[in-house]
Amino acid sequence: MSEDDERQQSPPSDLEFVSNKARNCNATGSGSGHPEFQSAYPDQVLENVLENVLHFLTSKRDRNAASLVCKSWYRVEALTRSELFIGNCYAVSPARATARFTRVRALQLKGKPRFADFNLMPPDWGAHFNPWALAMAKAYPWLEKVHLKRMTVTDDDLATLAELLLGFKELVLVCCDGFGTSGLAIFVNKCRQLKVLDLIESEVSDDETDWISCFPEGESQLESLIFDCVECHINFEALERLVANSPSLKKLRLNRYVSIGQLYRLMIRAPQLTHLGTGSFSPSEIAGQGDQEPDYVNAFAACKSLVCLSGFREIIPDYLPAIYPVCANLTSLNFSYANITAEQLKPIISKCHKLQVFWVLDSICDEGLQAVAATCKELRELRVFPVDPREDGDGPVSEVGLQAISEGCRKLQSILYFCQRMTNAAVIAMSKNCPDLVVFRLCIMGRHRADPVTGEPMDDGFGAIVMNCKKLTRLAVSGLLTDKAFDYIGQHGKLVRTLSVAFAGDSDMGLKYVLEGCPQLQKLEIRDSPFGDAALRSGLHHYYNMRFLWMSSCRLTPNGCQEIARAMPRLVVEVIRSADEEEMDDAVEILYMYRSLEGPRTDLPKFVTIL
Amino acid sequence: MEVNYENGLNLKATELRLGLPGSDEPERQTTPRPNKRTSSEISSSGLTDDGNDDHQASAPPAKAQVVGWPPIRSYRKNCIQAKKNEVEGGTGRYVKVSVDGAAYLRKIDLHVYGSYPELLEALEKMFKLTIGAYSEREGYNGSEYAPTYEDKDGDWMLVGDVPWEMFISSCKRLRIMKGSEARGLGCI
């Protein structure tokens, strides 16, 4: 196969390319060799070796480092990078990316800043996948995988992927929006080699299209189908057929429109599943008097490979015992949509000895968490979500639960904990008991809430976390916090990459401590904290090393932000207003700034100004 | 939120809070929760795409909720909120019921019933007719009458297909169709 053909047809095999290169002595792969390079090129052998070696380099940080060694390494690294990760879709343009990396098979893109999830800025801010979709279709016809987070994807974009990328295998959309069931219908119909379709926490509009029945007939290569976030009815018969025709299916996460009776029918067809999202986990109400309930326990027992269980969207707790047979093997259990009590949890959790990931609602109370701590010694990740997500709501979990977890689950690496009350003592205890913590996110839902026992701010607790948890890279703080907390973070949080701050701090010093003290800081999101222009200035030395800075409802002025924009030409400084405000006024409502090779983007909505 | 009087200290009084000293704690308005919602909030299932306003519309007016706080995604808020609304009942859910051939309509409160069999039994008694058994595949095939309802999208649906809670939140009115017409529906 000649080099000219490679791009249009099958994905270039790496060994093929190397041998072609040996013939043509052309390192850039842009067509057949030029005559002047036909003679022995002394470094050619080294480049061949380098290329073969670089294929084994998978970590993107290592690759970035390798590309900086010299031009030759830069070139070869660009040729051998098959997985392209772009953490901010506006940091680089599709044209630039496709020009540098010519042989990409997997693309991962992230768009909107995380605080957009909480309605802090108007919709239609940007992060459109469309220009990328078009560029990929032209530059990487052999592209196999696309993984998007917080991007707007249209039905047309889905059609583009499906129609122009033959052999497309894997689509993962996390927190995306802009498309509907009709886009899905086209996509699944045209992607004949589809292995993975994962729709996770995305907004899918209901165009009343029966997309499940659009999968091609006959045997399918489907390995993963996740659609638990799709809020519309699906054609169950078609789904049943699809599952029956997918012998490789390992991951299936159903939406809440699938009843437990329907779940049963799917499970008996797919006992090989490793990941199951159970849908509603309640019956469709018409169970006739004489009808026998299916043997749910048996269905679960037959799934001997099941390690990850989720769903339970409209759970009727009477059916919970059905999952007993799989508990002993579970490594991941997501009950975060299941409003169950401690009593209902205990018989389950007491069997889950191997559990590593547990997501749950605070309806289980501190007592439920104590039960978790008693059994789940292998727990690595815990997320406790509130049933009542209001500031002044009930607080069924507290420092008692956190303390119990810290004592029972010593291997904990990641925690997200929503509560109404928390003490420094419990946080300090966790910092000492769980030295492996990498992610610590505590959300005390009452703003500015002090330690209820001592009346003190929560400074010491978070201080202990950054001091004792030497591997910490992600931190989210809450409760009453003074500048002292940020002083601790600046002094000890040397590995912190992501920091989320809300309603905290006293003065500019707080932000200064962090910007001056945390060399690894990449993502900083701050809301409703008294940090102003002076604090912003203190980060000038560091902003090019960061992916982004978000500051909303702080004390910034247009002049202060303008100063930053002037001082740092490669930084895009966006000032975002609420949707109905025509012009910038004296206070900056939202500042969102990020490094970029492209300068101001061209798809600005009316409510954004770039300084 | 509890007040800690254990040590004789009124920690609440010394607690640092937003709000003027001496004013009532803004958080403490004791509005009973779900009963204050209007029926329009009840009838929207809260699970539409319009996640932006939803968490404010369905939260009780106890305190001006700060936008985006606590940091929970709209999708998750809507899911849990919808469940709570359904669990706690709320105000009556009266819908009109028409029967083909009957001279006038009736009204019933859907919240009085806990499940489809209860509802159908009540309808059978009220109108002195037989509706028969529901099956997923064939609807009410074989029976003289079939219950249908208009959902919030304006479509006429067969009663029994969706989970009960969802039915209650999306049903706008009921129509009991005569067997001959109904048979067409049951074959879908």
Side-chain angles (χ1 to χ4, degrees):
Chain A
M1 177 177 305
S2 80
E3 279 189 28
D4 289 321
D5 291 339
E6 269 179 314
R7 281 184 176 215
Q8 281 77 42
Q9 290 172 18
S10 63
S13 126
D14 309 302
L15 294 175
E16 262 186 341
F17 181 69
V18 169
S19 60
N20 280 345
K21 220 158 49 96
R23 280 200 304 276
N24 298 332
C25 298
N26 184 328
T28 59
S30 57
S32 50
H34 298 278
E36 50 265 55
F37 291 107
Q38 287 284 344
S39 55
Y41 184 57
D43 295 320
Q44 195 56 60
V45 171
L46 276 177
E47 273 209 21
N48 287 2
V49 169
L50 183 62
E51 192 175 327
N52 278 307
V53 167
L54 283 187
H55 278 300
F56 292 99
L57 214 59
T58 45
S59 143
K60 50 188 191 274
R61 281 202 191 96
D62 290 344
R63 282 194 157 267
N64 289 343
S67 69
L68 294 175
V69 170
C70 65
K71 280 202 176 139
S72 168
W73 279 55
Y74 178 92
R75 229 176 14 235
V76 176
E77 191 284 314
L79 285 171
T80 56
R81 191 181 296 217
S82 60
E83 290 181 16
L84 183 57
F85 169 82
I86 295 173
N88 174 2
C89 63
Y90 288 120
V92 67
S93 69
R96 192 185 292 262
T98 53
R100 175 173 168 187
F101 301 106
T102 52
R103 309 173 67 211
V104 167
R105 285 195 221 180
L107 172 72
Q108 190 176 350
L109 269 182
K110 294 189 179 180
K112 293 182 227 192
R114 198 177 72 94
F115 272 11
D117 288 355
F118 314 123
N119 304 322
L120 286 182
M121 70 181 185
D124 306 322
W125 168 82
H128 301 284
F129 181 56
N130 183 260
W132 292 91
L134 298 174
M136 297 297 124
K138 263 207 314 228
Y140 310 139
W142 52 76
L143 191 69
E144 289 178 358
K145 301 186 196 178
V146 167
H147 187 308
L148 305 177
K149 186 165 187 181
R150 290 197 191 92
M151 296 208 58
T152 297
V153 183
T154 63
D155 289 345
D156 285 339
D157 296 333
L158 293 177
T160 303
L161 288 179
E163 283 160 12
L164 300 183
L165 299 176
L166 318 164
F168 190 75
K169 296 201 170 70
E170 191 170 315
L171 181 66
V172 177
L173 301 178
V174 180
C175 300
C176 293
D177 61 7
F179 62 102
T181 46
S182 39
L184 285 178
I186 302 177
F187 180 79
V188 303
N189 185 253
K190 302 257 166 115
C191 270
R192 302 267 146 169
Q193 318 242 27
L194 193 65
K195 286 192 176 167
V196 172
L197 176 61
D198 291 350
L199 306 171
I200 298 171
E201 297 199 45
S202 293
E203 231 177 83
V204 182
S205 60
D206 184 0
D207 311 322
E208 314 224 335
T209 314
D210 180 3
W211 60 284
I212 294 279
S213 47
C214 292
F215 277 93
E217 297 284 334
E219 184 155 312
S220 128
Q221 283 114 316
L222 212 54
E223 293 173 11
S224 173
L225 179 62
I226 295 180
F227 63 96
D228 50 3
C229 62
V230 177
E231 287 292 312
C232 40
H233 290 283
I234 47 132
N235 178 337
F236 179 73
E237 273 73 36
L239 178 62
E240 201 176 2
R241 269 197 307 274
L242 178 64
V243 169
N245 287 338
S246 306
S248 310
L249 193 67
K250 291 281 191 290
K251 301 186 188 183
L252 179 64
R253 298 208 327 223
L254 308 165
N255 69 9
R256 63 187 184 88
Y257 293 76
V258 178
S259 70
I260 193 171
Q262 292 170 330
L263 170 68
Y264 174 83
R265 282 159 63 177
L266 294 174
M267 287 179 74
I268 55 175
R269 289 188 184 284
Q272 77 280 5
L273 288 176
T274 58
H275 293 59
L276 176 64
T278 62
S280 69
F281 213 68
S282 60
S284 55
E285 275 311 315
I286 301 291
Q289 260 107 358
D291 286 0
Q292 274 281 51
E293 286 252 64
D295 190 347
Y296 298 117
V297 177
N298 226 12
F300 276 93
C303 292
K304 303 210 184 291
S305 316
L306 207 56
V307 291
C308 174
L309 203 52
S310 62
F312 309 103
R313 294 295 176 115
E314 286 170 3
I315 188 174
I316 304 258
D318 308 69
Y319 290 97
L320 266 180
I323 73 171
Y324 288 169
V326 296
C327 288
N329 284 332
L330 282 184
T331 55
S332 171
L333 179 57
N334 182 348
F335 269 156
S336 67
Y337 292 96
N339 195 334
I340 56 174
T341 63
E343 285 316 304
Q344 289 160 342
L345 175 70
K346 280 182 190 168
I348 309 265
I349 208 72
S350 58
K351 301 178 169 55
C352 296
H353 298 276
K354 289 195 192 162
L355 206 60
Q356 294 186 17
V357 176
F358 186 48
W359 292 23
V360 71
L361 283 177
D362 63 4
S363 56
I364 62 167
C365 303
D366 287 326
E367 198 189 328
L369 290 174
Q370 285 163 334
V372 174
T375 316
C376 304
K377 301 303 177 188
E378 297 299 314
L379 200 67
R380 303 284 195 272
E381 177 180 324
L382 175 68
R383 295 197 192 191
V384 181
F385 294 95
V387 166
D388 184 7
R390 291 175 306 137
E391 261 191 272
D392 50 348
D394 295 331
V397 299
S398 68
E399 69 272 13
V400 173
L402 192 76
Q403 179 93 24
I405 293 287
S406 79
E407 287 165 7
C409 307
R410 298 299 178 108
K411 300 188 187 176
L412 200 65
Q413 292 173 359
S414 170
I415 183 164
L416 169 63
Y417 196 89
F418 284 87
C419 58
Q420 291 289 353
R421 57 173 278 153
M422 184 52 58
T423 60
N424 281 305
V427 178
I428 294 171
M430 177 157 272
S431 77
K432 294 189 178 146
N433 292 335
C434 305
D436 292 339
L437 275 177
V438 174
V439 173
F440 185 79
R441 298 160 70 191
L442 176 63
C443 182
I444 303 168
M445 291 192 273
R447 292 169 290 154
H448 308 282
R449 202 164 277 175
D451 180 328
V453 169
T454 64
E456 301 269 297
M458 296 301 297
D459 298 339
D460 289 341
F462 287 103
I465 291 286
V466 286
M467 269 187 258
N468 299 333
C469 302
K470 313 263 192 260
K471 305 181 191 173
L472 197 77
T473 58
R474 182 169 179 184
L475 180 65
V477 301
S478 61
L480 180 67
L481 292 168
T482 70
D483 287 343
K484 191 143 154 273
F486 298 99
D487 189 9
Y488 288 141
I489 296 173
Q491 277 190 46
H492 301 283
K494 295 305 179 187
L495 296 182
V496 170
R497 293 205 294 262
T498 306
L499 180 62
S500 303
V501 177
F503 306 100
D506 302 319
S507 74
D508 284 343
M509 285 313 295
L511 182 52
K512 277 183 89 166
Y513 288 137
V514 168
L515 288 172
E516 287 169 2
C518 300
Q520 297 295 324
L521 195 61
Q522 291 188 1
K523 301 185 253 185
L524 181 55
E525 41 190 35
I526 304 175
R527 64 167 293 182
D528 294 276
S529 300
F531 305 136
D533 299 336
L536 200 61
R537 245 177 270 131
S538 62
L540 283 171
H541 65 287
H542 189 59
Y543 292 138
Y544 280 155
N545 294 333
M546 289 178 65
R547 187 176 302 164
F548 71 80
L549 169 65
W550 165 293
M551 287 177 70
S552 58
S553 304
C554 296
R555 303 230 176 111
L556 301 173
T557 68
N559 280 340
C561 299
Q562 185 74 263
E563 212 185 303
I564 306 294
R566 253 184 252 122
M568 310 195 75
R570 295 281 204 191
L571 213 59
V572 172
V573 179
E574 295 196 10
V575 172
I576 305 170
R577 304 176 280 288
S578 53
D580 45 12
E581 271 175 55
E582 284 289 309
E583 283 168 8
M584 255 177 29
D585 52 18
D586 293 331
V588 167
E589 186 50 41
I590 303 174
L591 166 73
Y592 179 57
M593 61 191 210
Y594 50 89
R595 63 187 171 188
S596 172
L597 294 173
E598 308 305 336
R601 56 187 173 110
T602 50
D603 60 357
L604 285 181
K606 288 204 184 78
F607 50 85
V608 178
T609 307
I610 292 190
L611 298 178
Chain B
M1 203 189 89
E2 308 117 61
V3 174
N4 193 338
Y5 280 108
E6 263 174 35
N7 308 325
L9 303 167
N10 182 358
L11 289 171
K12 200 154 69 80
T14 56
E15 191 171 356
L16 295 173
R17 287 193 161 278
L18 285 184
L20 298 170
S23 64
D24 266 347
E25 290 183 75
E27 293 97 332
R28 202 53 72 211
Q29 290 177 30
T30 49
T31 323
R33 288 188 267 153
N35 300 332
K36 285 247 168 171
R37 287 172 299 124
T38 65
S39 56
S40 66
E41 284 164 342
I42 299 173
S43 61
S44 78
S45 68
L47 291 146
T48 57
D49 302 348
D50 182 22
N52 286 334
D53 297 319
D54 243 331
H55 75 278
Q56 294 193 339
S58 43
K63 167 179 181 168
Q65 298 289 319
V66 174
V67 172
W69 188 261
I72 311 257
R73 295 207 183 103
S74 304
Y75 177 77
R76 189 172 278 283
K77 264 187 181 154
N78 294 342
C79 284
I80 314 284
Q81 197 65 35
K83 272 203 280 254
K84 265 183 46 171
N85 295 346
E86 287 148 16
V87 162
E88 286 163 8
T91 59
R93 188 84 176 83
Y94 281 90
V95 295
K96 289 184 192 168
V97 189
S98 61
V99 176
D100 290 357
Y104 50 82
L105 280 62
R106 301 296 303 268
K107 256 202 162 159
I108 58 169
D109 176 1
L110 289 178
H111 276 304
V112 164
Y113 312 103
S115 67
Y116 284 120
E118 273 181 53
L119 169 67
L120 296 177
E121 199 186 309
L123 291 173
E124 283 178 325
K125 283 209 187 99
M126 186 184 258
F127 295 102
K128 317 250 182 308
L129 40 77
T130 345
I131 295 181
Y134 166 86
S135 77
E136 247 179 69
R137 272 191 206 285
E138 317 214 15
Y140 296 86
N141 246 358
S143 41
E144 234 199 300
Y145 290 92
T148 64
Y149 70 101
E150 188 184 3
D151 72 1
K152 56 181 168 37
D153 295 326
D155 296 319
W156 284 94
M157 319 287 294
L158 188 68
V159 168
D161 284 336
V162 303
W164 174 252
E165 283 80 9
M166 184 189 300
F167 164 71
I168 302 198
S169 62
S170 54
C171 169
K172 279 168 43 184
R173 52 186 298 166
L174 283 162
R175 175 185 165 202
I176 301 183
M177 296 171 83
K178 258 245 164 80
S180 44
E181 260 194 81
R183 228 155 269 135
L185 258 186
C187 291
I188 292 168

